[in-house]
């Protein structure tokens, strides 16, 4: 792998400091040097890429990813795809995330028991292109809640979207099965969801005994536990049992916020607000108009989620973008829309939003101190962006604006031929 020098770039380094003009030298898979100003770094034996003033920023982290979601209207439709097609689909989605600048993704649940692990392993071995990836289990749920899709007359567990358990021993067995398959994260559905009749977002489903066993078994193997927790009770339950990743967390009251804050150095929150926003305002694509979305509780949940996230951010809790793309109302690839939502709905500045998907992303990937910033010694996951994301965060939604995408020191996307002729020069 040749040494690469990005020169004449505006470095948005993911530390929080304002961008500066400079140079970045990549050696192997690490950032070797960061220089301020031009022609400060040695050019002997490197391939120099003249960024012509483009922005160089860390690769982004998607905090709540489902490679296995099939851009369908329902959970049921995702699950009905046979294994073979599903694997090929997930592989193509993994590449798509990298194409859009997501160099890291945190798996939030997979629709087939081994799918996430297989994709992660294939990426790591170089068999398929994709982001750094942490593999998740299926959603583990209980009878009647989100993810239990079994019909009374067709009681086939393998046809259910989630793994359905009832009681601690069922739970122990399910968690051990996923640990055997090699997951990085075990996912529990603690609350319901407005998509499920009879199990809306404010309802709680899993018993403390079931959650306790799941956490115990996962921690024995050193793995993290994440949860789908929209309701107040489920957020508190997740904190009582020491869960690590809280998805949604819409209805956090003061007590829940106190509990989250007490664990802020360990936990990560990803609201996945696209589901709420899209169904509320753009649900017609799946036959849900605004009045129906309101009846389903989405207006109420959006208001609660916005208030909860703002309160969490004030308390220093890490809230990350991304989440639940891969449905008909929010297809894969549109994930950077979340950055715009963070600015528009949560009141974060573009800088804060970028820090949440870079610096905090590296921490959520369990690589804090070596991923998510442009810093000497850090892993070389880099995006060369045509434009300034700080003045227009929405440019990160446009893959054509990503002139170059580097993961682990290797280009996934090189500057194009024309640009390469203009910008790149080899220095002997
Ligand atoms: Zn999800």
């Amino acid at each position: 792998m040749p040494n690469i020098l990005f020169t004449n770039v505006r470095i948005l380094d993911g530390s929080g400091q304002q961008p500066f003009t400079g140079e970045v030298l990549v050696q192997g898979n690490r950032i070797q040097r960061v220089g301020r100003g031009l022609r400060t770094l040695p050019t002997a034996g490197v391939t120099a890429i003249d960024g012509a003033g483009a922005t160089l920023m860390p690769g982004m982290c998607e905090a709540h990813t489902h490679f296995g979601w099939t851009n369908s209207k329902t959970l049921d439709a995702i699950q009905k795809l046979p294994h073979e097609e599903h694997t090929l689909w997930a592989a193509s989605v993994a590449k798509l995330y990298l194409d859009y600048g997501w160099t890291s993704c945190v798996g939030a649940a997979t629709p087939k028991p081994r799918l996430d692990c297989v994709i992660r392993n294939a990426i790591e071995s170089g068999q398929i292109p994709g982001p750094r990836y942490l593999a998740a289990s299926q959603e583990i749920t209980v009878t009647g809640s989100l993810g239990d899709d079994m019909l009374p007359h067709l009681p086939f567990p393998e046809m259910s979207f989630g793994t359905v358990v009832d009681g601690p021993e069922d739970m122990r067995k399910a968690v051990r099965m996923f640990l055997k398959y090699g997951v990085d994260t075990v996912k529990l559905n603690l609350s319901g969801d407005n998509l499920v009749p009879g199990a809306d977002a404010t309802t709680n489903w899993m018993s403390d005994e079931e959650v306790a066993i799941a956490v115990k078994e996962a921690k024995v193997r050193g793995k993290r536990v994440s949860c789908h927790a929209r309701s107040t009770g489920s957020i508190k339950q997740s904190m009582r049992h020491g869960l690590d990743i809280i998805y949604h967390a819409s209805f956090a009251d003061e007590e829940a916020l106190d509990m989250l804050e007490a664990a802020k150095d360990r936990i990560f929150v990803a609201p996945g607000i696209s589901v709420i926003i899209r169904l509320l305002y753009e649900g017609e694509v799946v036959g849900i108009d605004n009045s129906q979305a309101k009846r389903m509780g989405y207006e109420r949940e959006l208001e609660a989620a916005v208030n909860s996230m703002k309160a969490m951010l004030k308390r220093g809790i890490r809230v990350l973008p991304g989440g639940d793309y891969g449905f008909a109302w929010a297809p894969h690839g549109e994930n950077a829309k979340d950055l715009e939502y963070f600015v528009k709905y949560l009141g974060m500045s573009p800088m804060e939003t970028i820090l949440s998907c870079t610096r905090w992303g590296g921490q959520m990937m369990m690589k804090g101190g070596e991923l998510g910033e442009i810093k000497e010694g850090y892993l070389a996951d880099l995006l060369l962006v045509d434009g300034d994301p700080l003045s227009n965060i929405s440019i990160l939604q446009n893959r054509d604006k990503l002139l170059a995408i580097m993961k682990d020191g290797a280009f996934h996307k090189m500057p194009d031929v024309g640009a390469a002729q203009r910008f790149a020069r080899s220095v002997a």
Side-chain angles (χ1 to χ4, degrees):
M1 207 183 293
N3 300 332
I4 303 288
L5 178 71
F6 292 94
T7 183
N8 194 15
V9 287
R10 214 169 140 268
I11 301 172
L12 175 53
D13 67 2
S15 72
Q17 71 169 321
Q18 286 302 312
F20 57 91
T21 297
E23 298 181 312
V24 173
L25 176 65
V26 175
Q27 233 166 30
N29 68 337
R30 300 261 170 190
I31 295 164
Q32 191 68 22
R33 299 274 303 275
V34 179
R36 280 179 180 268
L38 298 177
R39 298 190 183 83
T40 59
L41 300 183
T43 52
V46 306
T47 297
I49 292 171
D50 187 333
T55 302
L56 190 72
M57 62 175 274
M60 300 186 292
C61 173
E62 223 281 358
H64 176 161
T65 315
H66 301 289
F67 289 154
W69 279 200
T70 54
N71 293 341
S72 313
K73 294 180 184 180
T74 63
L75 301 179
D76 217 25
I78 297 171
Q79 189 57 8
K80 281 185 176 145
L81 192 63
H83 284 78
E84 297 84 351
E85 286 87 344
H86 218 151
T87 308
L88 290 171
W89 167 265
S92 72
V93 172
K95 175 181 175 293
L96 188 75
Y97 277 65
L98 201 45
D99 291 340
Y100 276 92
W102 302 97
T103 50
S104 292
C105 290
V106 181
T110 183
K112 302 269 169 36
R114 293 178 59 246
L115 186 55
D116 250 23
C117 293
V118 168
I119 294 296
R120 178 202 57 201
N121 295 347
I123 293 170
E124 282 182 4
S125 68
Q127 203 177 353
I128 59 170
R132 298 176 191 276
Y133 193 57
L134 296 178
S137 68
Q138 266 181 299
E139 297 185 354
I140 302 179
T141 189
V142 297
T143 297
S145 183
L146 170 68
D148 172 13
D149 289 336
M150 275 185 284
L151 296 167
H153 63 300
L154 293 171
F156 300 111
E158 65 275 18
M159 291 304 294
S160 177
F161 186 73
T163 298
V164 182
V165 303
D166 287 297
E169 283 314 309
D170 258 17
M171 175 64 88
R172 191 197 307 273
K173 188 153 196 213
V175 171
R176 284 182 175 173
M177 178 186 79
F178 287 117
L179 293 170
K180 169 180 159 181
Y181 293 158
V183 298
D184 298 297
T185 315
V186 172
K187 167 82 174 282
L188 306 179
N189 283 358
L190 302 185
S191 81
D193 192 284
N194 290 334
L195 287 173
V196 188
D200 72 51
T202 63
T203 56
N204 311 307
W205 287 82
M206 214 167 260
S207 71
D208 277 330
E209 292 75 19
E210 289 161 338
V211 179
I213 284 284
V215 173
K216 186 172 170 222
E217 294 295 332
K219 301 272 166 169
V220 164
R221 300 265 79 81
K223 303 301 179 187
R224 291 192 291 185
V225 182
S226 71
C227 60
H228 171 100
R230 294 188 183 274
S231 68
T232 314
S234 65
I235 300 166
K236 293 177 187 175
Q237 186 179 44
S238 75
M239 289 298 93
R240 279 201 306 278
H241 292 281
L243 271 67
D244 308 288
I245 298 169
I246 302 90
Y247 290 128
H248 310 304
S250 304
F251 295 97
D253 66 8
E254 282 301 302
E255 189 188 8
L257 290 168
D258 288 344
M259 294 168 88
L260 291 162
E261 186 179 354
K264 70 177 180 184
D265 294 334
R266 177 174 54 83
I267 62 164
F268 298 89
V269 174
I273 50 176
S274 75
V275 174
I276 310 174
I277 294 167
R278 293 290 177 96
L279 284 175
L280 189 55
Y281 298 119
E282 297 170 44
E284 265 107 0
V285 288
V286 292
I288 297 175
D289 64 18
N290 183 255
S291 62
Q292 193 187 341
K294 285 178 181 168
R295 279 198 303 280
M296 291 168 78
Y298 283 111
E299 188 174 49
R300 183 182 167 215
E301 188 175 0
L302 180 59
E303 190 188 343
V306 164
N307 290 335
S308 296
M309 295 312 133
K310 283 181 174 174
M312 286 180 213
L313 288 162
K314 256 190 208 139
R315 289 167 178 251
I317 295 160
R318 292 169 290 191
V319 177
L320 280 76
D324 277 332
Y325 286 82
F327 285 110
W329 57 79
H332 292 298
E334 296 185 4
N335 310 57
K337 196 83 185 166
D338 252 53
L339 308 178
E340 192 182 323
Y341 294 152
F342 270 35
V343 172
K344 183 175 171 188
Y345 290 94
L346 306 189
M348 291 170 78
S349 69
M351 176 66 98
E352 289 166 337
T353 303
I354 286 181
L355 290 184
S356 73
C357 70
T358 56
R359 186 163 203 262
W360 288 349
Q363 294 164 4
M364 191 177 187
M365 289 297 292
M366 308 174 81
K367 289 186 182 295
E370 63 167 347
L371 184 67
E373 291 182 58
I374 298 180
K375 215 169 174 179
E376 290 175 1
Y378 271 50
L379 291 161
D381 287 13
L382 300 167
L383 306 178
L384 186 62
V385 184
D386 181 11
D388 178 13
L390 294 180
S391 60
N392 181 6
I393 193 87
S394 68
I395 62 171
L396 292 170
Q397 294 165 35
N398 182 352
R399 61 196 272 188
D400 296 335
K401 294 282 185 188
L402 303 179
L403 302 172
I405 300 167
M406 175 178 272
K407 177 196 145 198
D408 211 30
F411 278 115
H412 173 65
K413 180 180 184 180
M414 300 268 291
D416 71 33
V417 175
Q421 280 170 352
R422 282 198 307 280
F423 297 151
R425 65 201 155 88
S426 275
V427 182

